Amino acid sequence: MTLGPSRPSPAEPEPPGPELAGAPGADGAHRWRALRVFAENRLALVSAIFLIAVAAFCYLGPLLHHTDQIHTNLGTVNAPPGTQGHLLGTDDQGYDELGRLMIGGQTSLEVGVGAALLATAAGAVIGAFSGFFGGWLDGIVMRCVDGLLAIPTVFLLLLLAAIVTPTKLSLIVIIALISWLVTARLVRGEALTLRTRDFVSAARVMGSSTPRTVLRHIVPNSLSVIVVNATFQVADAILVLATLSFLGLGLPAPQTDLGGMLNNGMTYVYNGTWWVIWPAGVLIIAIVVAFNFIGDGLRDAFEVRLQRR
Amino acid sequence: MTVQPLLRVDDLHTEIRLRHGSVKAVDGLSLDILPGETLGVVGESGSGKTMLGLSIMRLLPPGGRITGGRILLDDEDVVGLPDKQMRRVRGGKIGYVFQDPMTSLNPTVPIGEQIAESVLLHQDVSKADARIRALEVLEQVGMPHAGERMSNYPHQLSGGLRQRVMIAVALAADPKLLIADEPTTALDVTIQEQILQLLDELRQSLGMAILLITHDLGVIASRANRVAVMYAGRVVEECDTASVFGNPRHPYTEALLAALPESAAAAHETLYSIPGLPPDLTDPPVGCRFAPRCRYATDECRASYPELTAGSKHRFACFHPTGSAAGEAMFTKATPVPIELLTTAPVQRATAEATPPKPLLQLSRLVKDFDVTSGALLQRRTGKLSAVSDVSFELAAGSTFGLVGESGCGKSTIGRLIVGLEHPTSGTITIDGRDTSRLHGRTGRDLRTMMQLMFQDPYASLDPRMTVGAIVREPLAIQRVGSKRDQQQQVLKLLDEVGLPRTAADRYPHEFSGGQRQRVGLARALAVSPKLVVADEPVSALDVSVQAQVLNLMVDLQKEHGLSYIFISHDLGVVRHVSDTIGVMYLGKLVEVGPADDVYRAPLHPYTKGLLDAIPIADPSVEATKDRLPIHGELPSAIHPPTGCRFRTRCPLAQDICADQEPLPVSVSGRLVACHFPLKVTPGAPCADAITESATDVLGNKPSPTTE
Amino acid sequence: MIGYLARRIAQSVLVVFVVSVVVFLMLHRLPGGPRSMLGKTATPAQVAQLTRQLGLNKPLPVQYGKWVSNLLHGDWGFSITHNQSVTSLIGERLPKTLLLTTVSLAIAVLLAIVLGLLQAMRRNRFIDYLMTFISFVFYATPTFFLGLILVLLLAVQVPVFPSSAPQSNSIAGLVAHSNGLVLPITTLVLVSLALFSRYVRSSAIDQLTEDYARTARAKGASEARVLFRHVLRNVLIPVITLLGLSLPWVFSGALVVESVFNYPGMGLLFWQAATAHDYPILLSVTLVVSVATVVGSLLADLAYAVLDPRVRYS
């Protein structure tokens, strides 16, 4: 599920120490400060490493662990872990569970990242445009955003999904179609405040054109907000995809995503076949948590960079 | 000393832990506060003066802690006090007034309740009695209609009244000591005067002591009995106010006083500026902290720290104290040579006064109203805020016009109108004979390059994501001046001119101090070789010593490039120093225009006089003999400005005609003043001796029907 | 204050208009268009009647007007699958969903305030990190999975609560079997807890460093007094706005929870309609839920306006 409201900002302020005038003799090291602060956030760093490992598992794993994820094998159904050739057992269609995790993970990551990128790009452009121009244009755009946000996500998704047949691409588009709203609202707010900042006024006094001002000043200064939001969007998109699968609107077999596997496995919850549920469940939770931690870490890193002016 | 000190701070050390390293904010500080006195602690930002106040209350920000020393309140060391007892000290024995009354009061609690809380926490009384006491204190701090105000929320009050509430909160439990940390910095000068007066009266009537912490030497000079000057976490000099200002012994105190614009013998003269910046307190120097910036420094100063001279009344921490006969001579005679300046020669005043030069800029009957809107679908115009009302003046090429007034008087709006950030409701702005309202296309771009803007906040005016090089190059890039290579060359030249190292080009704004950023702003403004620079409060965010550096630079560059300035500031001292002509604004109106020194020495308009009186001068002798024309009350709303003369609601000389007829600007001894009863041109004349004939009679002008 | 109210109400009306247009356009985008509202077995005569009734041969704006006027006259269509009018279906189901969401929201917000304040007081200590981690994990768990885990733990392994919701037709019936409501409500509470507790935590931490909190300490107030007498009020007021903004999200969660526990609310109705392509239900429910969202956030804003003196007196 996507978050309806924009996420609350944790904004953990730096201790308001005495102002230290004085230019530190930095020598390009400042470029790495944000990265360093990010790296100091151990939770975020561990999350990043974990996600890289997950990506390697999903994309490189199939090269080492060959499995058939297209044809069902009703001979070995719900085989427990350790069954020959099936490290994590098989599911109700006889697919190898470990191999299935890999392709399910691929789908989840691809749809998550794809939808987040699309939503962020669209939302950022519309939001920046709306916020910078303000006035009636802004009013119309924002009322439309409000209207779409008022329709609860899952209801809107079910309607949209009823219109379109689910493929990876169509799911990316559908999820993005709903997620851009939050980004747009956020970036618009950012543009609204940036518009009144002195350095934007300075650019206008110099004769800077509107597209130039938006491009050179508004967008780079909103970038941190955009990037942080994009990270959260990935996490939310993966959850939305899972929810869609649960509601029966996910990808048709033999394709699957982590949520689809989970939903599928839940049919057998009373049979004691834990391996068709828990690996997919834990993986999806871990991935979403990791993206959230990274988002938090990025936000802190950016804020520190701006505060240490 | 026979009197037992109320509070004794003994070798106090306070550190603030940061992500990397820790700041030694207070580092071996000792001082005494006697009962009933006002001790002024003065220092620039980063000197540790606020941390001193917060250390006494043990209210240090996260990461801060007292690492050594004692704070004795009535012979009891509060440093080691358990929390529960410490809470009895806070509010009960020591009251604290913070800088910003808007943020320091709880926005969701009525003010009466906030004051009563102080009483409840320290006295064993009922809620009803606490309220009675709260009302009493609120009356004591001069809150008009105190009874009705009790249930008000902070946002319903003006800044000045909020600060009165803040003082009431601090006083409610009868503390023996009041710590006032920059109590008036967020307020306008006329309100500042009222608050300082109130603090003084309360101190006398309640017999409490005040620790007055401020960066403003003028505030100290007018209100403190004794002064402690702080630098880099230590007291460098301490004595009674008259001695510190009259005979400073520490070079830092001396330099600080010399850097004030009021100290310059004549306007436009190069100010003394302290080179460099205060030391980094995460790793303070071994020796005297001021040594790297001190012109008397020797190897001895760099090797060891001079202790405060013990015993004597006038204490200072210096191996080579000034203020002796020799030092005095040096200070007054030799114009100190600021190291960073390109030239020290005073700027020629507006050349050739015989042939008045053609005005570069002309404002004619300029009006700017902002719409006040309401409504959901269609933003209905429900009123207008009159920001600038019928303002006219001219500016000769190569000269400086200073625009002064309190916040909300419309001075910044005029600046924004001139550079085209706002469009006038009516009236014209002509630059070099061309009307700027037709700023389109090619000519528009040409006109734009003639005018540039310098901003107040050096933190907000530079794009944090661009390098300094890119920032300075931006106007050149926008105007497509020369090749990229030429532009980069030009950037280096500009950095040289404003006294920044060329390596600055590759760095980001956050790596620079406020003064350095203001230099970047100046370099950017000068990139397209403008004829006019509108400087909106360019030094008000800077410390005195840095302020002098920037002012000197501005004056030098003016001479070199033949620049004209519109210099906008609330600080009359600064404005007088740089300006040829001063315009005083009040609530959208230009009330007085004239040569800088004349306006400063002999104001014609009662508001100018009141404004001048309210500004504390860093000279106790002047402060003591000031003949004041106090401005009472607060600034009226610009949405419904008063009829007739807009100043009449606060003017001590107002009569019926002031409400009926708007005074037109008339010429009085070569100056323009918009007042029915302008003051006599004799300096220091009693206020009542106003010129009684109405200005309309003098000139035979008919006043225009009031527009309101 | 009055101006603020008028502006917010006008905005809400606009938003409802936008929602209705979106829903209306979707009706026309659905496979088969509005005619499929009749189901697959419709006779040509029925189709012709619907065409006339909805004015399908007229231009879109006219059709929209007709549709809105039908809605306003209580003609919301007829559900073939339930053999019942849409209005009576919704009238039956809406209160149940409102019961589920309001109870869950109330519990979630109360818990979040307690946890958030606790975390703010114990900032950057072990308990803070632990609770942050747990709330993130709950947030990251797909709602249906969380529901299932709860069923496994509390209905199968330790059979304390029933695994599905009571099927009563009335609110009173639901409340009478409140045992069956525990798991659905718990699921919804846990997934929304993170959203609120993270907010309360960061907001309280912010407020504790505000100048007014320092003023309270300077008066001699204890840390607990600062938190409860001064900071709490300023933390809670914005939580109300967050509450309003989170309504669409909560309704989404409710849909999934209702599906998992077979709880007879709007969400379940909607989901079943989606699988059965019962368009009259799909569209009406979307509209009703959206209007409920808009009204909810309007109420939240009004509450905000009443509680925040800065809005109340301006």
Side-chain angles (χ1 to χ4, degrees), chain B residues 301-504:
Chain B
C301 306
R302 291 177 199 105
S304 59
Y305 192 87
E307 290 303 321
L308 268 179
T309 49
S312 68
K313 189 168 144 282
H314 196 148
R315 302 197 303 157
F316 47 89
C318 185
F319 293 125
H320 310 289
T322 62
S324 51
E328 194 87 34
M330 189 168 181
F331 171 48
T332 45
K333 276 186 198 148
T335 313
V337 182
I339 290 158
E340 297 197 9
L341 287 177
L342 306 166
T343 168
T344 55
V347 165
Q348 297 286 308
R349 305 222 41 189
T351 44
E353 284 185 7
T355 53
K358 189 176 138 230
L360 174 72
L361 175 80
Q362 266 179 307
L363 306 194
S364 171
R365 313 214 60 165
L366 200 61
V367 174
K368 177 68 186 177
D369 297 328
F370 289 106
D371 288 347
V372 180
T373 56
S374 71
L377 306 178
L378 302 163
Q379 292 278 297
R380 268 177 310 112
R381 231 188 74 163
T382 51
K384 65 184 177 98
L385 186 151
S386 171
V388 175
S389 170
D390 199 9
V391 166
S392 310
F393 65 85
E394 335 191 303
L395 171 68
S399 66
T400 301
F401 188 93
L403 213 47
V404 280
E406 293 175 282
S407 52
C409 72
K411 56 189 194 300
S412 289
T413 307
I414 288 191
R416 292 173 68 84
L417 285 166
I418 292 172
V419 297
L421 281 174
E422 304 283 354
H423 296 288
T425 306
S426 70
T428 54
I429 302 168
T430 327
I431 179 153
D432 235 9
R434 282 179 290 181
D435 189 348
T436 59
S437 57
R438 283 180 278 278
L439 267 184
H440 298 300
R442 186 74 226 164
T443 38
R445 198 183 285 172
D446 288 348
L447 274 175
R448 274 245 166 75
T449 64
M450 291 172 65
M451 303 173 293
Q452 287 297 316
L453 188 59
M454 225 181 128
F455 293 88
Q456 165 174 14
D457 185 353
Y459 293 95
S461 58
L462 306 178
D463 189 331
R465 307 229 175 249
M466 283 166 95
T467 62
V468 164
I471 288 169
V472 177
R473 195 167 71 84
E474 196 180 10
L476 297 168
I478 290 171
Q479 302 294 342
R480 298 200 185 84
V481 182
S483 68
K484 193 173 175 186
R485 211 189 165 72
D486 294 344
Q487 292 175 3
Q488 273 158 353
Q489 280 304 310
Q490 180 68 15
V491 167
L492 295 181
K493 227 183 93 198
L494 286 162
L495 290 178
D496 290 345
E497 276 198 62
V498 298
L500 286 173
R502 289 184 165 209
T503 51

Side-chain angles (χ1 to χ4, degrees), chain B residues 98 103-104 106 114 117 122, chain C residues 211 215 219 225 230 234:
Chain B
F98 294 97
T103 59
S104 296
N106 192 336
Q114 296 193 49
E117 189 185 12
H122 294 285
Chain C
D211 287 350
T215 305
K219 281 183 205 173
R225 192 183 168 96
H230 290 271
N234 289 285

Side-chain angles (χ1 to χ4, degrees), chain A residues 262-289:
Chain A
L262 190 54
N263 186 40
N264 201 35
M266 277 165 47
T267 331
Y268 304 94
V269 67
Y270 302 114
N271 299 5
T273 54
W274 57 268
W275 58 92
V276 294
I277 304 171
W278 288 101
V282 170
L283 190 59
I284 201 170
I285 293 172
I287 291 175
V288 173
V289 167

Side-chain angles (χ1 to χ4, degrees), chain A residues 23-86:
Chain A
D27 47 349
H30 54 273
R31 288 167 207 275
W32 298 101
R33 184 178 289 148
L35 197 65
R36 210 176 59 224
V37 174
F38 180 78
E40 276 169 18
N41 185 334
R42 257 173 283 163
L43 220 46
L45 194 67
V46 170
S47 300
I49 293 169
F50 169 76
L51 284 179
I52 292 168
V54 168
F57 166 76
C58 293
Y59 289 93
L60 302 179
L63 302 177
L64 303 171
H65 181 75
H66 304 279
T67 55
D68 185 351
Q69 295 293 341
I70 295 168
H71 304 98
T72 56
N73 178 3
L74 299 176
T76 48
V77 169
N78 286 344
T83 309
Q84 218 220 323
H86 302 295

Side-chain angles (χ1 to χ4, degrees), chain C residues 159-225:
Chain C
V160 196
F161 303 108
S163 64
S164 67
Q167 298 299 312
S168 171
N169 272 334
S170 69
I171 292 282
L174 285 179
V175 177
H177 298 91
S178 57
N179 215 18
L181 296 176
V182 172
L183 290 184
I185 288 176
T186 310
T187 311
L188 208 47
V189 166
L190 287 180
V191 289
S192 35
L193 192 60
L195 181 69
F196 296 109
S197 73
R198 293 290 292 161
Y199 183 83
V200 171
R201 174 189 179 270
S202 56
S203 173
I205 287 173
D206 273 0
Q207 297 287 333
L208 278 170
T209 61
E210 286 286 323
D211 287 350
Y212 73 80
R214 191 178 57 182
T215 305
R217 289 186 197 110
K219 281 183 205 173
S222 65
E223 211 44 34
R225 192 183 168 96

